[in-house]
Amino acid sequence: MLGAIIGDIVGSRWEFNPTNDYDFEWLSSENGFTDDTICTVAVADALLKGKDFGESIHEWCRRYPHPMGGYGGRFSQWVRSDNPQPYNSFGNGAAMRVSPVAYWYEDKYQMLEAAANTARPSHNHPEGIKGAKTVAIGIHTALELRRGYDTLNEHDIDYIISRCTAISDYDIEINREDVLNKFDETCQGTVPVALWIIGESTSFEDAVRKAVSLGADADTLGAIVGSIAEAIWDIPESMKKEIIAYLPNEMKAVVKGFYMRISNKV
């Protein structure tokens, strides 16, 4: 989950000011959390409290009505509504907020149903649900492989990606030139690119840097890549401490509480 938050905050500066510089400044006063972090925290909070995902996402977004970068047009209407209904979206918001469920459920089938349920309150189009489930199975598979091991090898990462493509049928034979500087807010345009980046990366930071410097939807692609990369490579402790400072206290409390609960589940 924290990997999604890091990818979001690191990418936030570049969402509307894209960069192709791999060596971009990692964090600065111009970075901040966006709707990606708010929704991810909301999913984690729902799991901690046993609440409905849609209710929790709606409540958290209402608390932060003007995040950095704002909300997408249709989702913004959903947030403002007193009776929010799903609107058949296949936007990549379904994929960026799903990561907590992959840590919460040991059973794969329960986890996949929960992943779908995180998308359904707003992003109930089959492509939106598929995007959420694909990211979730990638994280869940990596966590399974990591049990008892500090690192995963290239064959493990290939297997993780194969599990993702098995349930999504995404084509991840991607040429960088075809996706460079291409802003795509859909699941089907973002999640395959995220999987391709994971397959090309060697560490958590390398994966997030590749995502952000693609010049695409930097914060959301960073969040999706970061969520999977965390499960594969983990996150350096110094980086965790650095990013937490960007969060308000109530978000810090959810993050801390979530990791404490999942550590007790192991």
Side-chain angles (χ1 to χ4, degrees):
M1 178 183 77
L2 194 55
I5 294 171
I6 292 174
D8 172 46
I9 293 175
V10 170
S12 63
R13 179 181 176 185
W14 312 105
E15 181 180 10
F16 301 113
N17 182 31
T19 183
N20 297 139
D21 180 8
Y22 176 87
D23 296 313
F24 63 85
E25 184 180 15
W26 184 250
L27 288 170
S28 74
S29 60
E30 296 179 50
N31 293 83
F33 65 86
T34 79
D35 59 324
D36 299 24
T37 290
I38 296 168
C39 291
T40 299
V41 169
V43 169
D45 195 38
L47 291 166
L48 286 169
K49 295 177 179 175
K51 291 180 64 174
D52 176 78
F53 290 121
E55 181 183 347
S56 185
I57 293 167
H58 192 248
E59 287 179 0
W60 275 91
C61 290
R62 285 278 190 108
R63 289 184 209 175
Y64 296 91
H66 304 292
M68 185 175 182
Y71 294 110
R74 292 290 301 280
F75 188 73
S76 179
Q77 293 175 27
W78 185 89
V79 171
R80 293 196 304 270
S81 172
D82 292 332
N83 183 30
Q85 298 297 316
Y87 51 94
N88 205 35
S89 174
F90 48 79
N92 55 21
M96 57 74 166
R97 68 197 191 199
V98 73
S99 57
V101 302
Y103 289 84
W104 194 261
Y105 295 94
E106 185 173 340
D107 180 81
K108 178 181 73 174
Y109 298 102
Q110 283 185 307
M111 185 278 299
L112 286 172
E113 181 58 23
N117 286 338
T118 67
R120 287 187 176 113
S122 53
H123 295 57
N124 61 325
H125 189 283
E127 289 291 344
I129 292 171
K130 183 168 75 173
K133 291 170 72 172
T134 299
V135 173
I137 198 65
I139 298 168
H140 195 264
T141 303
L143 294 172
E144 284 183 332
L145 294 175
R146 280 281 302 278
R147 289 182 184 136
Y149 297 91
D150 290 331
T151 58
L152 300 182
N153 59 40
E154 290 181 12
H155 297 295
D156 295 324
I157 295 170
D158 288 343
Y159 175 67
I160 292 164
I161 294 171
S162 73
R163 290 283 296 274
C164 293
T165 56
I167 70 166
S168 66
D169 200 32
Y170 287 142
D171 180 6
I172 61 165
E173 295 298 320
I174 292 172
N175 295 315
R176 187 172 186 269
E177 294 73 21
D178 294 333
V179 293
L180 185 68
N181 300 323
K182 183 179 179 181
F183 195 96
D184 192 320
E185 294 181 303
T186 68
C187 274
Q188 57 269 42
T190 307
V191 180
V193 177
L195 297 177
W196 165 70
I197 289 171
I198 290 293
E200 296 286 315
S201 300
T202 58
S203 69
F204 176 82
E205 182 175 344
D206 180 46
V208 173
R209 285 191 176 278
K210 281 184 168 72
V212 172
S213 63
L214 196 64
D217 188 359
D219 61 322
T220 301
L221 183 58
I224 295 169
V225 167
S227 68
I228 302 172
E230 175 186 9
I232 294 172
W233 293 288
D234 208 352
I235 305 168
E237 287 299 321
S238 59
M239 196 178 291
K240 293 178 184 178
K241 293 176 182 177
E242 189 177 39
I243 210 72
I244 285 293
Y246 284 80
L247 300 179
N249 288 335
E250 63 179 351
M251 289 191 189
K252 292 177 186 176
V254 173
V255 171
K256 182 179 179 180
F258 185 81
Y259 280 99
M260 286 180 64
R261 284 284 293 276
I262 62 172
S263 66
N264 292 333
K265 284 173 171 280
V266 176

